Amino acid sequence: MALLSAMKLQGRPPPIISSSLNSNSKPVGSDSVSLNTSEPGSERKPRKFSSQLNRWNRARTLRSGAKLDRTINNGSDSTTGPMRPIESSNRSDVSTTQVDSDVSSSLSTNGDNETDMTAAKSIYIVSDGTGWTAEHAVNAALGQFDYCLVDRGCPVNTHLFSGIEDGEKLMEIIKQAASEGAMVIYTLADPSMAEAAMRACKLWCIPSLDILGPITDSISSHLGTNPSGISRSVAHSSLNEDYFKRIEAIEFTIKHDDGALPENLEKADIVLVGVSRTEKTPLSTYLAQKGYKVSNVPIVNGVELPKTLFEIDPRKVFGLMINPVVLQGIREARAKSLGLGSSYKTKYSELGSVKEELELAKRIFADNPTWPVIEVTESAIEETAAVILRLYDERQSNRAMPRISKSY
């Protein structure tokens, strides 16, 4: 108690109880519960960044394609990876009454494990398709709490259950959510499945949210027609034209990465230009998965850009810029990953060289004023791609929106 009082006076939160979740089974028992009773001076403090680097770090770690699962470092315990969907039992039917009694029994027998829930809040994402819609919606919402997730340690675990198309599996997942005290967020196209999920969550007092239902109902009302109720995994299971278009775009993008085959720039839908480590390759791959053929051209001191870059339609060319200090940090990390070590000196990661390359890029972009320049320092891949696709669509349709400056 004296320790708790001292910590409150110093503005630090009291010790919390941590637990580990089994990624392949139901929540573990009370034997995995451990108390963090370390001394106040030995607590691990979050890494401090400058204001700009801190924003950049949060954006990259919380919104840039990273998995939703948050790792919790609390002593020696940590959470494991995403949980897999629960295998259905041998029963042909799981009624609400049966599962209700099972949940009550589970909750009563695990009463000693209530402290497990204080370590991390769980969010179950349930979908009859890939779960992409719900997962990204949750990711966007969690981005509003990055101040807590990064600095103050309010741990959150998210678990994706995709391809859930029968009531038995759905009830088993909701049953486990009830025993864990988890929140359930779902996108179920079948109205009967969505209704069953809503009723079960309401019956067992589980906080839940239907992401797809309200939107579908509103569109249905607007169009004056009823939805099909068929999941996207079923409706788009055939190998249609869009599928082969994406495959062709991915193959093209891989072959034309990092300035390869510059003679084919005319065949690309989008051309990205920037210095090394400005997200050209991951951004190209992301756009290719949406069906766009992408080439990327690196800007390097002492190396001339291909002539074809200045001969193609300028409406498809986009420049990428980044903060020099951030870029230096990325390049240093890259050098270490290649085993060069921190003592290895190279112009590639020296701040002076980095600034020279960025100044060269600025001069090239200034000489080509029709190329939009996009700042990627604090942007996730998805955010940068959204800007590019908006500008691409506006430029291809000759309906560009007015803008304050050339940089985005």
Side-chain angles (χ1 to χ4, degrees):
M1 292 301 295
L3 176 60
L4 292 175
S5 300
M7 293 180 70
K8 290 180 179 179
L9 291 175
Q10 296 176 9
R12 292 198 298 269
I16 62 172
I17 299 174
S18 64
S19 64
S20 298
L21 293 178
N22 189 329
S23 62
N24 298 317
S25 63
K26 297 180 181 180
V28 296
S30 59
D31 56 346
S32 64
V33 180
S34 61
L35 293 177
N36 183 358
T37 56
S38 57
E39 293 297 328
S42 63
E43 290 181 353
R44 181 180 180 181
K45 298 181 180 179
R47 183 180 179 183
K48 294 183 179 180
F49 297 92
S50 66
S51 177
Q52 184 176 13
L53 288 181
N54 195 29
R55 291 195 302 271
W56 171 80
N57 180 62
R58 290 177 180 175
R60 294 298 175 100
T61 56
L62 296 175
R63 297 193 296 276
S64 180
K67 293 183 180 179
L68 291 178
D69 295 86
R70 266 60 175 178
T71 302
I72 308 167
N73 292 324
N74 198 6
S76 60
D77 296 337
S78 62
T79 58
T80 57
M83 295 181 67
R84 299 177 181 175
I86 306 170
E87 296 296 333
S88 60
S89 63
N90 295 326
R91 292 176 292 177
S92 59
D93 178 45
V94 179
S95 64
T96 302
T97 304
Q98 289 175 320
V99 177
D100 187 24
S101 61
D102 291 341
V103 172
S104 300
S105 175
S106 176
L107 292 176
S108 62
T109 57
N110 293 333
D112 295 336
N113 297 340
E114 286 183 356
T115 52
D116 287 17
M117 307 310 166
T118 63
K121 298 289 187 180
S122 293
I123 299 177
Y124 279 22
I125 303 173
V126 184
S127 174
D128 51 13
T130 62
W132 187 94
T133 301
E135 186 177 25
H136 281 70
V138 171
N139 192 22
L142 287 176
Q144 299 297 313
F145 304 94
D146 58 354
Y147 69 93
C148 175
L149 296 172
V150 174
D151 297 335
R152 304 183 184 177
C154 53
V156 174
N157 295 325
T158 60
H159 308 296
L160 174 62
F161 299 87
S162 58
I164 307 302
E165 296 182 342
D166 65 78
E168 184 176 349
K169 286 185 178 181
L170 178 63
M171 290 301 110
E172 287 291 330
I173 293 170
I174 295 178
K175 170 186 174 181
Q176 181 168 324
S179 67
E180 282 194 29
M183 180 181 187
V184 176
I185 297 177
Y186 54 93
T187 53
L188 300 169
D190 186 346
S192 62
M193 289 277 287
E195 179 73 14
M198 182 196 70
R199 288 180 177 273
C201 290
K202 185 177 181 180
L203 179 63
W204 300 323
C205 300
I206 302 173
S208 63
L209 177 65
D210 180 4
I211 293 180
L212 188 61
I215 299 176
T216 303
D217 292 341
S218 297
I219 294 177
S220 174
S221 177
H222 180 67
L223 299 179
T225 185
N226 294 324
S228 65
I230 302 175
S231 66
R232 286 180 58 86
S233 61
V234 175
H236 298 273
S237 59
S238 59
L239 301 181
N240 53 28
E241 184 178 351
D242 289 339
Y243 172 82
F244 289 107
K245 180 181 178 181
R246 290 197 303 272
I247 296 300
E248 183 181 359
I250 292 172
E251 291 177 347
F252 179 93
T253 301
I254 293 174
K255 292 179 181 178
H256 296 80
D257 182 39
D258 201 28
L261 303 176
E263 64 273 14
N264 292 336
L265 288 178
E266 180 62 36
K267 299 178 181 179
D269 298 316
I270 296 173
V271 178
L272 304 178
V273 183
V275 301
S276 175
R277 309 324 254 171
T278 51
E279 301 181 344
K280 295 189 302 298
T281 296
L283 186 55
S284 298
T285 305
Y286 182 87
L287 292 170
Q289 292 175 351
K290 292 182 174 292
Y292 295 91
K293 297 178 180 178
V294 185
S295 292
N296 68 77
V297 180
I299 296 177
V300 182
N301 264 326
V303 179
E304 292 187 3
L305 293 173
K307 294 181 179 180
T308 51
L309 177 62
F310 306 98
E311 298 171 354
I312 62 175
D313 185 352
R315 294 179 300 174
K316 65 171 69 175
V317 183
F318 298 86
L320 304 177
M321 284 296 294
I322 191 171
N323 178 278
V325 177
V326 173
L327 180 57
Q328 181 194 26
I330 296 174
R331 290 187 173 184
E332 286 179 346
R334 173 63 174 169
K336 290 180 181 179
S337 69
L338 296 176
L340 301 180
S342 58
S343 60
Y344 185 85
K345 299 298 182 181
T346 173
K347 288 186 177 181
Y348 179 73
S349 59
E350 288 180 353
L351 184 59
S353 178
V354 168
K355 289 183 176 180
E356 287 181 7
E357 284 194 14
L358 290 176
E359 287 299 323
L360 173 62
K362 289 180 180 179
R363 291 195 297 270
I364 293 173
F365 296 151
D367 293 338
N368 297 272
T370 57
W371 298 355
V373 180
I374 303 171
E375 175 66 41
V376 302
T377 302
E378 298 180 6
S379 298
I381 297 296
E382 297 88 346
E383 294 171 330
T384 304
V387 173
I388 290 176
L389 293 181
R390 175 176 65 83
L391 295 174
Y392 177 82
D393 179 63
E394 291 174 355
R395 303 180 93 194
Q396 294 297 321
S397 58
N398 294 319
R399 56 178 181 84
M401 300 292 291
R403 60 180 183 269
I404 298 176
S405 66
K406 179 172 172 285
S407 183
Y408 294 86

